Amino acid sequence: MKEAFKELTRYKSALVGLFILFFLVALAIYAVVAIPYGEAIRLWRGSEAMWRYNPRTAAPAWIDYFTPKRLLHTVILDSEVAQKNVEVLSERTRRILITYTLDYKADVFPSELAVVFKSRYDKKPPRVEVIWKTPDGREFPFGRQIPSGAIHWYTVSQDKDLISNLRGAPEKILFQDPKDAEKPIKGIHTITIKAYVFESDADIDAEVIIYGTVHGLAGTDHLRRDIGVALLWGAPIALAFGLGASFGITISSIIFAAIGAWFGGWIDGVVQRLTEIRMVIPTLPILIMVGLFYSKSIWVILAVLIVLNLIESSVKTYRAMFLQEKRAPYIEAARSYGAGHLRIVFRYLIPRVIPWLIPGFVLAVPAYVFLEASLSVLGLGDPVLPTWGKLLSDAFGHGALYHGYYYWVLEPAFLLMATGFGFTLIGYTLDKIFNPRLREI
Amino acid sequence: MGGYVDNIKKAQITEQISVQVYQNPAYQSYTTEELRKLIEQKVALEIKRLGLDKPFIRFDSLYGFFHSRAFMYLINALTLSLGRSEHIYSSSGSKQVWLIIKERLPYSVLLFTTASLLVFFASLYVALILSRRYGSIWDRLSVALAPLSTAPSWFYGIILILIFAAILRLLPFGGLVDIPPPENRIMYALSVLKHMVLPLLGWFISGIFVGVYSWRTFFLIYSSEDYVEMARAKGVPGRLLERRYILRPTLPTIITSFALMLIAAWMGAIITESVFNWPGLGSLYMAAISQFDTPIIVGLTVIYAYLLGVTVFILDIVYAIVDPRIKVGGGTAA
């Protein structure tokens, strides 16, 4: 085994494969350590409130370096950068003016605007209004309202009155250059929150959020979730699913084949007939039925997949090998010292064919990784876990290609492809090493 | 008896009938007790009509077997009485499962037979050339590219849509024809052809590399057989050698893999069709899954089984034609 590994490193293609595999394993370990299982599910399936400060469908931030246009990172203006003026109007009523300045430099419009009011009051809620002053001196007062509760979200971009007043989307009109409607105006915007509070110890704070068009290392999806979480967690799941399925199926097939070949007679017949029956049963429709009627959990699907493939078509190939091995002198020797049937099967027959089995095992992994992705695309992916397939299906289902959110498709696609390539490269090389006849060809 | 699905079915029936009864003004004067009894009666009737009261399967006697539901379903499947769908309509407005399937079948066959033929003959042709030039740069390239085939065709489909539809705007995102469909027949065919390019290409990329790789290895093994060496030594020209000494004895294997590939194409097209919005059996399957339309799912499975059976049957006949060693009837005299 050690020698095989050494020989493996002699092939360039296998080195590339090993490197990819190493990268994936590192990614998987990092994911599991950095974001524990429960946390990953919470991040991915928690309410939208968790990601409220993220922009929707924002591209990854590094895209900024490759485009001539300067893209916008989300800007959150909070009380730390604000100037707060309090004016006492009467015994109880006070006017609070919170002023923010925003130096806008991007060449694109923001994707959304929102204001979060954080107010403290006993009975009578404050009244607020936003006054937006653009760099060229135009002034837009809007959003007059009474914030309810301690934290109140005012999504400026969805304010219907404002949209009809401005005749367009606020995030566009407020940032438009009056001379060129397609370009945002650069310079300093002044945003003032004018609030009236009516209680002696009432107070108000506000955050102004200018949602960007890029976010983080991986971008975000339609629910503002950070795609990075899914990319990271996709790695351990893909590896576990691919390796688990491949391992379980290879091992069980080899055991059945060995038992059939060793005992012969009716046992062999049963194994053979079962294999033939299995060969005409389509896997995908059965998995679809299980996903539909029983459970979509990835672990249940994995278990069903292994049980379904306990005997797969490769039983025939293994059987042929065992039939040859069965007559080998060392087996005869084992029988002569009185080894039992099971001992011969597990200690003599199976270890003998393991070298032939390893390439097949490695080569089968990508197929199962892609199977998980296929199930996700069919809408039968795990309902809680973030996987690469789930990302792809979300992206495709939400028109990422129509709207030009290419990163959303390309990132999981790249990782899936890399996984496939890594395992296949190693598998082909192992095939060459263990089956020397192939090396000549 | 009959398991979980039966329970779902019975619950569905009960709910349907309860709603019907409660909404029917004719029963308004009934008391709750009377209503309950009425519903019970109707549910029992419906269960009897659908055969749900019969056992799913029985082996105690021949009579019992013929009157079990499994046998009833088997007969229905064999005679293609696939029943009526629950939600999905055919474009002519019918709910007959067979009509819905019949309407979609030609599109699937059109796309995936073309795709399989393309992949198959291209990979055979390339593999033959490569096996002749073993060790050349093209040969090594084909080996290096073989891992590309690990990704399924829908995966390449998405990438191709991204390149050719979304970025370059050259080809449509999916569908069967332009909207509105062209009146002219030739234009209609051309439009269908245009929509077929990307799914075909996706299928092609995912199939060709591994096809070339495995056929190449296969031919290499066969071309080192003794009788081929012998023929070569005799001076049989290359083309003839390939046709008579390599292709001819491998024909049964080639045909088998072709037939199995064709079936796999029809089976595995579920996702490709949905990605390209192709109105074939695959996207019907997908729609049936998402709408829980069990009769359609069962109907499709039956159709697939038929396709498989017919293909294997035709295969057996073809074997006998291409390989003179195979003779039906087991006669030994030549």
Side-chain angles (χ1 to χ4, degrees):
Chain A
M1 213 41 54
K2 213 172 185 181
E3 272 165 38
F5 186 78
K6 220 179 206 171
E7 207 172 337
L8 199 61
T9 53
R10 285 224 314 267
Y11 291 87
K12 247 180 270 163
S13 58
L15 274 183
V16 176
L18 282 175
F19 177 76
I20 295 174
L21 191 64
F22 178 76
F23 168 76
L24 282 174
V25 171
L27 199 68
I29 293 174
Y30 175 76
V32 177
V33 173
I35 315 167
Y37 189 80
E39 176 74 3
I41 292 177
R42 203 177 62 87
L43 282 175
W44 202 245
R45 282 292 142 189
S47 62
E48 206 174 324
M50 197 158 281
W51 297 109
R52 250 182 145 168
Y53 288 93
N54 286 357
R56 245 179 241 278
T57 55
W62 44 264
I63 284 202
D64 208 359
Y65 300 112
F66 299 102
T67 48
K69 279 184 179 177
R70 196 155 168 195
L71 303 175
L72 180 65
H73 294 253
T74 302
V75 182
I76 299 171
L77 303 168
D78 54 15
S79 50
E80 274 176 36
V81 295
Q83 264 188 334
K84 201 167 175 181
N85 287 315
V86 184
E87 206 177 320
V88 181
L89 297 181
S90 71
E91 190 192 334
R92 289 201 170 155
T93 315
R94 280 169 300 143
R95 182 167 68 192
I96 301 177
L97 286 176
I98 312 170
T99 313
Y100 307 89
T101 53
L102 168 71
D103 190 2
Y104 200 78
K105 287 180 188 150
D107 293 313
V108 291
F109 292 102
S111 59
E112 255 180 303
L113 295 176
V115 181
V116 194
F117 296 108
K118 295 176 175 171
S119 35
R120 194 178 71 220
Y121 61 90
D122 194 20
K123 280 204 182 78
K124 196 165 179 194
R127 281 159 197 281
V128 294
E129 190 185 6
V130 183
I131 299 153
W132 195 290
K133 209 170 150 194
T134 59
D136 56 331
R138 288 171 300 156
E139 209 167 276
F140 299 93
F142 60 85
R144 187 172 293 186
Q145 59 190 297
I146 302 167
S148 55
I151 294 176
H152 175 85
W153 279 78
Y154 166 45
T155 316
V156 179
S157 298
Q158 285 168 12
D159 184 340
K160 288 206 181 86
D161 294 337
L162 182 61
I163 293 171
S164 66
N165 278 346
L166 295 174
R167 294 204 192 88
E171 68 271 17
K172 217 163 172 193
I173 307 287
L174 292 176
F175 287 84
Q176 224 166 38
D177 190 335
K179 286 171 224 125
D180 184 356
E182 287 308 305
K183 260 184 163 173
I185 190 163
K186 290 181 188 180
I188 294 179
H189 292 256
T190 316
I191 304 130
T192 310
I193 309 283
K194 192 156 88 180
Y196 292 92
V197 292
F198 307 105
E199 286 167 8
S200 48
D201 57 349
D203 195 9
I204 191 159
D205 250 325
E207 281 173 15
V208 180
I209 307 168
I210 297 105
Y211 287 105
T213 53
V214 292
H215 179 88
L217 266 179
T220 59
D221 68 0
H222 61 299
L223 297 173
R224 304 179 192 280
R225 294 178 298 198
D226 191 343
I227 290 177
V229 174
L231 289 181
L232 270 179
W233 254 92
I237 295 171
L239 286 181
F241 192 83
L243 288 171
S246 191
F247 187 75
I249 291 166
T250 318
I251 291 292
S252 63
S253 295
I254 202 108
I255 291 175
F256 275 108
I259 290 176
W262 177 249
F263 290 102
W266 67 269
I267 297 183
D268 193 30
V270 167
V271 172
Q272 291 305 303
R273 295 300 90 71
L274 282 178
T275 314
E276 277 149 25
I277 292 172
R278 164 68 195 92
M279 277 160 84
V280 294
I281 297 176
T283 315
L284 194 61
I286 291 187
L287 288 183
I288 289 171
M289 296 278 186
V290 170
L292 213 58
F293 293 117
Y294 184 59
S295 160
K296 286 184 189 173
S297 160
I298 195 165
W299 310 122
V300 172
I301 297 275
L302 177 63
V304 171
L305 186 66
I306 292 177
V307 169
L308 260 183
N309 285 295
L310 273 181
I311 28 170
E312 49 148 16
S313 49
S314 58
V315 163
K316 299 240 171 206
T317 328
Y318 300 144
R319 178 172 168 270
M321 288 181 196
F322 286 129
L323 285 180
Q324 257 176 6
E325 283 299 319
K326 199 176 149 182
R327 291 190 204 96
Y330 75 98
I331 299 281
E332 220 171 301
R335 289 185 83 168
S336 67
Y337 85 69
H341 288 304
L342 284 180
R343 187 176 168 84
I344 289 179
V345 167
F346 285 98
R347 300 296 296 269
Y348 290 86
L349 276 180
I350 290 178
R352 188 74 180 165
V353 299
I354 278 181
W356 282 278
L357 188 139
I358 289 175
F361 159 69
V362 175
L363 282 173
V365 173
Y368 295 116
V369 173
F370 274 106
L371 181 71
E372 188 277 317
S374 298
L375 285 174
S376 292
V377 172
L378 281 173
L380 298 167
D382 193 281
V384 291
L385 275 175
T387 65
W388 295 335
K390 210 93 197 126
L391 270 185
L392 259 186
S393 97
D394 271 354
F396 199 75
H398 289 90
L401 294 178
Y402 293 91
H403 299 299
Y405 311 138
Y406 302 138
Y407 65 93
W408 195 0
V409 172
L410 287 176
E411 286 168 0
F414 172 78
L415 284 171
L416 276 171
M417 204 65 228
T419 312
F421 243 88
F423 279 102
T424 330
L425 285 176
I426 297 174
Y428 276 140
T429 319
L430 283 173
D431 218 8
K432 266 191 216 161
I433 294 170
F434 288 126
N435 303 330
R437 203 184 156 180
L438 271 174
R439 211 178 325 183
E440 292 154 26
I441 297 170
Chain B
M1 169 95 186
Y4 190 55
V5 176
D6 276 15
N7 291 339
I8 298 178
K9 272 235 131 90
K10 280 178 187 159
Q12 257 175 1
I13 294 168
T14 314
E15 191 185 322
Q16 240 171 23
I17 288 175
S18 315
V19 170
Q20 274 170 16
V21 168
Y22 282 119
Q23 281 176 351
N24 193 337
Y27 301 128
Q28 259 178 14
S29 56
Y30 281 46
T31 63
T32 332
E33 187 58 26
E34 278 170 335
L35 274 178
R36 202 180 55 79
K37 250 186 201 155
L38 186 74
I39 290 170
E40 251 170 38
Q41 270 172 16
K42 286 192 167 222
V43 168
L45 209 64
E46 181 72 8
I47 283 176
K48 196 163 183 204
R49 188 182 75 82
L50 290 172
L52 284 173
D53 56 335
K54 286 192 188 128
F56 185 74
I57 195 158
R58 278 167 68 171
F59 291 113
D60 52 349
S61 66
L62 216 53
Y63 176 84
F65 178 70
F66 286 137
H67 285 261
S68 66
R69 259 187 301 146
F71 185 72
M72 196 173 87
Y73 291 153
L74 179 69
I75 293 296
N76 282 347
L78 284 178
T79 53
L80 288 183
S81 339
L82 302 176
R84 297 162 69 80
S85 69
E86 277 164 17
H87 311 286
I88 296 171
Y89 288 89
S90 76
S91 62
S92 56
S94 170
K95 266 191 154 187
Q96 292 277 330
V97 172
W98 168 237
L99 287 180
I100 299 174
I101 291 176
K102 207 172 77 178
E103 196 179 271
R104 305 282 197 114
L105 186 64
Y107 299 119
S108 274
V109 170
L110 170 71
L111 180 60
F112 293 104
T113 314
T114 323
S116 299
L117 284 173
L118 268 179
V119 172
F120 187 73
F121 286 108
S123 58
L124 266 190
Y125 185 71
V126 176
L128 258 185
I129 294 176
L130 288 179
S131 75
R132 216 181 296 149
R133 299 185 192 160
Y134 161 66
S136 70
I137 191 128
W138 291 107
D139 184 44
R140 270 184 288 164
L141 190 71
S142 81
V143 177
L145 285 179
L148 276 176
S149 284
T150 45
S153 62
W154 60 262
F155 182 83
Y156 288 111
I158 289 183
I159 307 283
L160 287 170
I161 292 177
L162 193 150
I163 298 171
F164 291 100
I167 297 179
L168 297 176
R169 304 261 160 200
L170 277 177
L171 290 161
F173 278 91
L176 176 68
V177 284
D178 287 330
I179 297 169
E183 301 272 320
N184 188 327
R185 278 202 160 188
I186 297 167
M187 293 309 285
Y188 190 93
L190 282 179
S191 170
V192 171
L193 213 59
K194 192 174 78 183
H195 285 75
M196 271 170 72
V197 173
L198 285 187
L200 278 183
L201 205 58
W203 197 265
F204 191 76
I205 297 175
S206 96
I208 187 79
F209 296 108
V210 78
V212 167
Y213 178 81
S214 50
W215 282 124
R216 163 196 162 278
T217 316
F218 182 74
F219 287 140
L220 278 176
I221 290 171
Y222 263 83
S223 54
S224 59
E225 291 281 346
D226 291 343
Y227 57 85
V228 180
E229 299 284 348
M230 172 74 183
R232 201 174 281 141
K234 266 195 327 194
V236 177
R239 300 253 160 199
L240 203 64
L241 191 83
E242 258 162 30
R243 244 196 355 257
R244 286 215 187 134
Y245 290 81
I246 301 177
L247 277 182
R248 193 67 209 268
T250 51
L251 213 51
T253 324
I254 293 175
I255 291 171
T256 314
S257 85
F258 175 69
L260 292 178
M261 188 166 136
L262 216 55
I263 300 167
W266 296 330
M267 302 283 279
I270 297 170
I271 310 169
T272 312
E273 278 189 13
S274 340
V275 164
F276 283 102
N277 210 1
W278 187 262
L281 292 182
S283 48
L284 178 65
Y285 206 117
M286 182 89 157
I289 291 166
S290 53
Q291 297 179 37
F292 275 90
D293 206 325
T294 330
I296 296 257
I297 298 178
V298 174
L300 281 171
T301 315
V302 170
I303 295 291
Y304 278 139
Y306 256 103
L307 285 177
L308 190 77
V310 169
T311 316
V312 172
F313 182 69
I314 293 175
L315 212 58
D316 273 347
I317 298 171
V318 173
Y319 277 159
I321 297 172
V322 299
D323 193 341
R325 286 170 295 187
I326 300 171
K327 279 277 170 279
V328 184
T332 45

